[in-house]
Coordinates of all heavy atoms in Angstrom, one line a residue:
I259 N 175.0 -119.4 -56.2 CA 175.7 -120.6 -55.6 C 174.7 -121.6 -55.1 O 174.8 -122.8 -55.4 CB 176.7 -120.1 -54.5 CG1 177.6 -119.0 -55.0 CG2 177.5 -121.3 -54.1 CD1 178.4 -118.3 -53.9
L263 N 174.0 -125.4 -56.6 CA 174.3 -126.6 -55.7 C 173.0 -127.4 -55.4 O 173.0 -128.6 -55.6 CB 174.9 -126.1 -54.4 CG 175.1 -127.2 -53.3 CD1 176.2 -128.3 -53.8 CD2 175.6 -126.7 -52.0
H267 N 173.3 -130.6 -57.8 CA 174.3 -131.4 -57.2 C 173.9 -132.1 -55.9 O 174.3 -133.3 -55.7 CB 175.6 -130.6 -57.0 CG 176.1 -130.0 -58.2 ND1 177.0 -130.6 -59.1 CD2 175.9 -128.7 -58.7 CE1 177.3 -129.8 -60.1 NE2 176.6 -128.6 -59.9
L268 N 173.2 -131.4 -55.1 CA 172.8 -131.9 -53.8 C 171.9 -133.1 -53.9 O 170.8 -133.0 -54.5 CB 172.2 -130.8 -52.9 CG 172.1 -131.1 -51.4 CD1 173.5 -131.0 -50.8 CD2 171.2 -130.0 -50.8
D281 N 173.2 -136.1 -48.8 CA 174.3 -135.2 -48.7 C 174.0 -134.2 -47.5 O 172.8 -133.9 -47.3 CB 174.4 -134.3 -49.9 CG 175.0 -135.1 -51.1 OD1 175.6 -136.2 -50.8 OD2 174.9 -134.7 -52.3
R282 N 175.0 -133.8 -46.8 CA 174.8 -132.9 -45.7 C 175.1 -131.5 -46.2 O 176.1 -131.3 -46.8 CB 175.6 -133.2 -44.5 CG 175.0 -134.2 -43.5 CD 174.7 -135.5 -44.0 NE 174.3 -136.5 -42.9 CZ 173.9 -137.7 -43.2 NH1 173.9 -138.2 -44.4 NH2 173.6 -138.5 -42.1
F283 N 174.2 -130.5 -45.8 CA 174.5 -129.1 -46.2 C 174.5 -128.3 -44.9 O 173.6 -128.4 -44.0 CB 173.4 -128.6 -47.1 CG 173.5 -127.1 -47.3 CD1 174.4 -126.6 -48.2 CD2 172.7 -126.2 -46.6 CE1 174.6 -125.2 -48.4 CE2 172.8 -124.8 -46.8 CZ 173.8 -124.3 -47.7
V284 N 175.6 -127.5 -44.7 CA 175.8 -126.7 -43.6 C 175.9 -125.2 -44.0 O 176.7 -124.9 -44.8 CB 177.0 -127.1 -42.8 CG1 177.2 -126.2 -41.6 CG2 176.9 -128.6 -42.3
L285 N 175.1 -124.4 -43.4 CA 175.2 -122.9 -43.6 C 176.0 -122.4 -42.4 O 175.5 -122.0 -41.4 CB 173.8 -122.3 -43.6 CG 173.8 -120.8 -44.0 CD1 174.3 -120.5 -45.4 CD2 172.4 -120.1 -43.7
S286 N 177.3 -122.4 -42.5 CA 178.2 -122.0 -41.4 C 178.0 -120.5 -41.1 O 178.0 -120.1 -40.0 CB 179.7 -122.3 -41.8 OG 180.5 -122.0 -40.7
G342 N 180.3 -123.9 -37.8 CA 179.6 -124.7 -38.9 C 180.5 -125.4 -39.8 O 180.3 -126.6 -40.1
I343 N 181.6 -124.8 -40.2 CA 182.6 -125.4 -41.0 C 183.3 -126.6 -40.2 O 183.6 -127.6 -40.8 CB 183.6 -124.5 -41.6 CG1 184.7 -125.2 -42.5 CG2 184.3 -123.7 -40.6 CD1 184.1 -125.9 -43.7
G346 N 181.0 -129.3 -40.3 CA 181.1 -130.0 -41.6 C 182.3 -130.9 -41.7 O 182.1 -132.0 -42.3
V347 N 183.4 -130.6 -41.1 CA 184.5 -131.5 -41.0 C 184.1 -132.8 -40.3 O 184.5 -133.9 -40.7 CB 185.7 -130.8 -40.4 CG1 186.9 -131.8 -40.2 CG2 186.2 -129.7 -41.2
F349 N 181.0 -134.0 -40.0 CA 180.1 -134.8 -40.9 C 180.9 -135.6 -41.9 O 180.7 -136.8 -42.1 CB 179.2 -133.8 -41.7 CG 178.0 -133.3 -40.9 CD1 177.8 -132.0 -40.8 CD2 177.1 -134.2 -40.4 CE1 176.7 -131.5 -40.1 CE2 176.0 -133.7 -39.8 CZ 175.8 -132.4 -39.6
A350 N 181.9 -134.9 -42.5 CA 182.7 -135.6 -43.6 C 183.6 -136.7 -43.0 O 183.8 -137.8 -43.6 CB 183.6 -134.6 -44.3
H370 N 178.1 -140.3 -49.5 CA 177.5 -139.0 -49.7 C 178.5 -137.9 -49.4 O 179.6 -138.2 -48.8 CB 176.3 -138.9 -48.7 CG 176.6 -139.2 -47.3 ND1 176.4 -140.5 -46.8 CD2 177.0 -138.4 -46.3 CE1 176.7 -140.5 -45.5 NE2 177.1 -139.3 -45.2
S371 N 178.2 -136.7 -49.7 CA 179.1 -135.6 -49.6 C 178.6 -134.6 -48.6 O 177.4 -134.6 -48.1 CB 179.2 -134.8 -51.0 OG 179.7 -135.7 -51.9
T372 N 179.5 -133.7 -48.1 CA 179.2 -132.6 -47.2 C 179.5 -131.3 -47.9 O 180.6 -131.2 -48.4 CB 179.9 -132.8 -45.9 OG1 179.6 -134.0 -45.3 CG2 179.6 -131.6 -44.9
Y373 N 178.6 -130.4 -47.9 CA 178.8 -129.1 -48.5 C 178.6 -128.0 -47.4 O 177.6 -128.1 -46.7 CB 177.8 -128.9 -49.7 CG 177.9 -129.8 -50.8 CD1 177.1 -130.9 -50.9 CD2 178.9 -129.7 -51.8 CE1 177.2 -131.8 -52.0 CE2 179.1 -130.6 -52.8 CZ 178.2 -131.7 -52.9 OH 178.4 -132.5 -54.0
V374 N 179.4 -127.1 -47.4 CA 179.4 -126.0 -46.4 C 179.5 -124.6 -47.1 O 180.4 -124.4 -47.9 CB 180.5 -126.1 -45.4 CG1 180.4 -125.1 -44.3 CG2 180.5 -127.5 -44.7
F375 N 178.6 -123.7 -46.7 CA 178.7 -122.3 -47.1 C 179.3 -121.6 -45.9 O 178.9 -121.9 -44.7 CB 177.3 -121.7 -47.4 CG 176.7 -122.0 -48.7 CD1 177.3 -122.9 -49.6 CD2 175.5 -121.4 -49.1 CE1 176.8 -123.2 -50.8 CE2 175.0 -121.7 -50.3 CZ 175.6 -122.6 -51.2
L376 N 180.3 -120.8 -46.1 CA 180.9 -120.0 -45.1 C 181.3 -118.6 -45.6 O 181.5 -118.4 -46.8 CB 182.1 -120.7 -44.4 CG 183.4 -120.9 -45.2 CD1 184.6 -121.2 -44.3 CD2 183.3 -122.0 -46.2
C390 N 189.9 -127.0 -40.3 CA 190.2 -127.1 -41.7 C 191.6 -127.7 -41.9 O 191.9 -128.4 -42.9 CB 190.1 -125.8 -42.4 SG 188.3 -125.3 -42.5
A393 N 191.1 -131.3 -41.6 CA 190.4 -131.9 -42.8 C 191.4 -132.1 -43.9 O 191.3 -133.1 -44.6 CB 189.3 -130.9 -43.2
L398 N 189.8 -135.4 -46.6 CA 188.3 -135.6 -46.7 C 187.8 -135.1 -48.0 O 187.3 -134.0 -48.2 CB 187.7 -134.8 -45.5 CG 188.0 -135.3 -44.1 CD1 187.3 -134.4 -43.1 CD2 187.7 -136.8 -43.9
G399 N 188.0 -136.0 -49.0 CA 187.6 -135.7 -50.4 C 186.2 -135.4 -50.7 O 185.8 -134.9 -51.7
K400 N 185.3 -135.8 -49.7 CA 183.8 -135.5 -50.0 C 183.3 -134.3 -49.2 O 182.1 -134.1 -49.0 CB 183.0 -136.8 -49.6 CG 183.3 -137.9 -50.5 CD 182.4 -139.1 -50.2 CE 182.6 -140.3 -51.2 NZ 181.8 -141.5 -50.8
L401 N 184.3 -133.5 -48.8 CA 183.9 -132.2 -48.2 C 184.2 -131.1 -49.1 O 185.3 -130.9 -49.6 CB 184.7 -132.0 -46.9 CG 184.6 -130.6 -46.2 CD1 183.2 -130.3 -45.7 CD2 185.6 -130.6 -45.0
T402 N 183.2 -130.3 -49.5 CA 183.4 -129.1 -50.3 C 182.8 -127.9 -49.6 O 181.7 -127.9 -49.2 CB 182.7 -129.3 -51.7 OG1 183.2 -130.4 -52.3 CG2 182.9 -128.1 -52.6
A403 N 183.6 -126.8 -49.5 CA 183.2 -125.6 -48.8 C 183.2 -124.5 -49.9 O 184.0 -124.4 -50.8 CB 184.2 -125.2 -47.7
F404 N 182.2 -123.6 -49.7 CA 182.0 -122.4 -50.6 C 182.2 -121.2 -49.8 O 181.4 -120.9 -48.9 CB 180.6 -122.4 -51.2 CG 180.3 -123.6 -52.1 CD1 179.9 -124.8 -51.5 CD2 180.4 -123.6 -53.5 CE1 179.6 -125.9 -52.2 CE2 180.0 -124.7 -54.2 CZ 179.7 -125.9 -53.6
W405 N 183.3 -120.5 -50.1 CA 183.6 -119.2 -49.3 C 182.9 -118.1 -50.0 O 183.2 -117.8 -51.2 CB 185.1 -119.0 -49.3 CG 185.5 -117.7 -48.7 CD1 184.9 -116.9 -47.7 CD2 186.7 -116.9 -49.1 NE1 185.6 -115.8 -47.5 CE2 186.7 -115.7 -48.4 CE3 187.7 -117.1 -50.1 CZ2 187.6 -114.7 -48.5 CZ3 188.6 -116.2 -50.2 CH2 188.6 -115.0 -49.5
F428 N 194.5 -122.3 -47.5 CA 193.9 -123.6 -47.7 C 194.7 -124.6 -48.5 O 194.7 -125.8 -48.2 CB 192.4 -123.5 -48.2 CG 191.4 -123.2 -47.1 CD1 191.3 -121.9 -46.5 CD2 190.6 -124.2 -46.6 CE1 190.4 -121.7 -45.5 CE2 189.7 -123.9 -45.6 CZ 189.6 -122.7 -45.1
W433 N 194.2 -128.6 -49.1 CA 192.9 -128.5 -49.8 C 193.1 -128.3 -51.3 O 194.1 -127.7 -51.7 CB 192.0 -127.4 -49.2 CG 191.5 -127.7 -47.8 CD1 192.1 -128.0 -46.7 CD2 190.1 -127.6 -47.5 NE1 191.3 -128.1 -45.7 CE2 190.0 -127.9 -46.1 CE3 188.9 -127.2 -48.2 CZ2 188.8 -127.8 -45.4 CZ3 187.7 -127.2 -47.5 CH2 187.6 -127.5 -46.1
H434 N 192.1 -128.7 -52.0 CA 192.0 -128.4 -53.4 C 191.3 -127.1 -53.5 O 190.1 -127.0 -53.0 CB 191.3 -129.5 -54.2 CG 190.9 -129.2 -55.6 ND1 189.6 -129.1 -56.1 CD2 191.7 -128.9 -56.7 CE1 189.7 -128.8 -57.3 NE2 190.9 -128.7 -57.7
V435 N 191.9 -126.1 -54.1 CA 191.3 -124.7 -54.1 C 191.0 -124.2 -55.5 O 191.9 -124.3 -56.4 CB 192.2 -123.7 -53.4 CG1 191.6 -122.3 -53.3 CG2 192.5 -124.2 -51.9
Q436 N 189.8 -123.6 -55.7 CA 189.5 -123.0 -57.0 C 188.8 -121.6 -56.7 O 188.3 -121.4 -55.6 CB 188.4 -123.8 -57.7 CG 188.8 -125.2 -58.0 CD 187.7 -126.0 -58.6 OE1 187.3 -125.9 -59.8 NE2 187.0 -126.8 -57.7
I446 N 180.3 -121.9 -61.4 CA 180.1 -122.6 -60.1 C 179.9 -124.1 -60.3 O 180.5 -124.9 -59.7 CB 178.9 -122.0 -59.4 CG1 179.2 -120.5 -59.1 CG2 178.6 -122.8 -58.1 CD1 177.9 -119.8 -58.7
G447 N 179.1 -124.4 -61.3 CA 178.8 -125.9 -61.6 C 180.1 -126.6 -62.0 O 180.4 -127.7 -61.6
A449 N 183.1 -125.8 -61.2 CA 184.0 -125.9 -60.0 C 183.5 -127.1 -59.1 O 184.4 -127.8 -58.6 CB 184.0 -124.6 -59.2
I450 N 182.2 -127.2 -59.0 CA 181.7 -128.3 -58.1 C 182.1 -129.7 -58.8 O 182.5 -130.6 -58.1 CB 180.2 -128.2 -58.0 CG1 179.9 -127.0 -57.2 CG2 179.7 -129.5 -57.2 CD1 178.4 -126.7 -57.1
A451 N 181.9 -129.7 -60.1 CA 182.3 -131.0 -60.8 C 183.8 -131.3 -60.7 O 184.2 -132.5 -60.5 CB 181.9 -130.8 -62.3
A452 N 184.6 -130.3 -60.7 CA 186.0 -130.5 -60.6 C 186.4 -130.9 -59.1 O 187.2 -131.8 -58.9 CB 186.8 -129.2 -60.9
A453 N 185.7 -130.3 -58.2 CA 185.9 -130.7 -56.8 C 185.6 -132.2 -56.5 O 186.3 -132.9 -55.8 CB 185.1 -129.8 -55.8
K454 N 184.5 -132.7 -57.2 CA 184.1 -134.0 -57.0 C 185.2 -135.0 -57.5 O 185.3 -136.1 -57.0 CB 182.8 -134.3 -57.7 CG 181.6 -133.7 -57.0 CD 180.3 -133.9 -57.8 CE 179.1 -133.3 -57.1 NZ 177.8 -133.6 -57.9
K455 N 185.9 -134.6 -58.5 CA 186.9 -135.5 -59.1 C 188.2 -135.6 -58.2 O 189.0 -136.5 -58.4 CB 187.3 -134.9 -60.5 CG 186.2 -135.1 -61.5 CD 186.6 -134.5 -62.8 CE 185.5 -134.5 -63.9 NZ 185.9 -133.9 -65.2
V456 N 188.3 -134.7 -57.3 CA 189.5 -134.7 -56.4 C 189.0 -135.5 -55.1 O 188.4 -134.9 -54.3 CB 190.0 -133.3 -56.0 CG1 191.2 -133.4 -55.1 CG2 190.4 -132.5 -57.3
T457 N 189.4 -136.7 -55.0 CA 188.9 -137.6 -54.0 C 189.8 -137.7 -52.8 O 189.3 -138.3 -51.8 CB 188.6 -139.0 -54.5 OG1 189.8 -139.5 -55.0 CG2 187.6 -138.9 -55.7
K459 N 191.4 -134.9 -51.3 CA 191.5 -133.6 -50.7 C 190.2 -133.0 -50.5 O 189.3 -133.1 -51.4 CB 192.4 -132.7 -51.5 CG 193.9 -133.1 -51.7 CD 194.6 -132.0 -52.5 CE 196.0 -132.3 -52.7 NZ 196.7 -131.2 -53.5
P460 N 189.9 -132.3 -49.4 CA 188.7 -131.5 -49.3 C 188.9 -130.3 -50.3 O 190.0 -130.0 -50.7 CB 188.7 -131.0 -47.9 CG 190.1 -131.1 -47.4 CD 190.8 -132.2 -48.2
S461 N 187.8 -129.7 -50.7 CA 187.8 -128.6 -51.7 C 187.2 -127.3 -51.1 O 186.2 -127.3 -50.4 CB 187.0 -129.0 -52.9 OG 187.7 -130.0 -53.7
L462 N 187.9 -126.3 -51.5 CA 187.4 -124.9 -51.2 C 187.2 -124.2 -52.5 O 188.1 -124.1 -53.4 CB 188.4 -124.1 -50.4 CG 188.0 -122.6 -50.1 CD1 186.8 -122.6 -49.2 CD2 189.1 -121.8 -49.5
I463 N 185.9 -123.7 -52.7 CA 185.6 -122.9 -53.9 C 185.4 -121.5 -53.4 O 184.5 -121.2 -52.7 CB 184.3 -123.4 -54.6 CG1 184.5 -124.9 -55.0 CG2 184.0 -122.6 -55.8 CD1 183.3 -125.5 -55.6
C464 N 186.4 -120.6 -53.8 CA 186.3 -119.2 -53.4 C 185.4 -118.5 -54.4 O 185.7 -118.4 -55.6 CB 187.7 -118.6 -53.5 SG 189.0 -119.5 -52.5
C465 N 184.3 -118.0 -53.9 CA 183.3 -117.4 -54.7 C 183.2 -115.9 -54.5 O 182.8 -115.4 -53.5 CB 181.9 -118.0 -54.4 SG 181.8 -119.8 -54.6

Side-chain angles (χ1 to χ4, degrees):
I259 308 168
L263 175 64
H267 302 275
L268 193 73
D281 288 343
R282 270 62 170 181
F283 173 78
V284 177
L285 185 70
S286 188
I343 180 62
V347 172
F349 280 122
H370 52 268
S371 298
T372 300
Y373 298 101
V374 182
F375 283 5
L376 70 160
C390 292
L398 299 179
K400 291 184 178 177
L401 171 64
T402 301
F404 299 79
W405 171 36
F428 275 76
W433 286 53
H434 171 244
V435 180
Q436 303 172 80
I446 298 163
I450 296 172
K454 289 179 178 178
K455 292 178 181 178
V456 179
T457 59
K459 294 181 179 182
S461 288
L462 176 69
I463 302 176
C464 305
C465 303

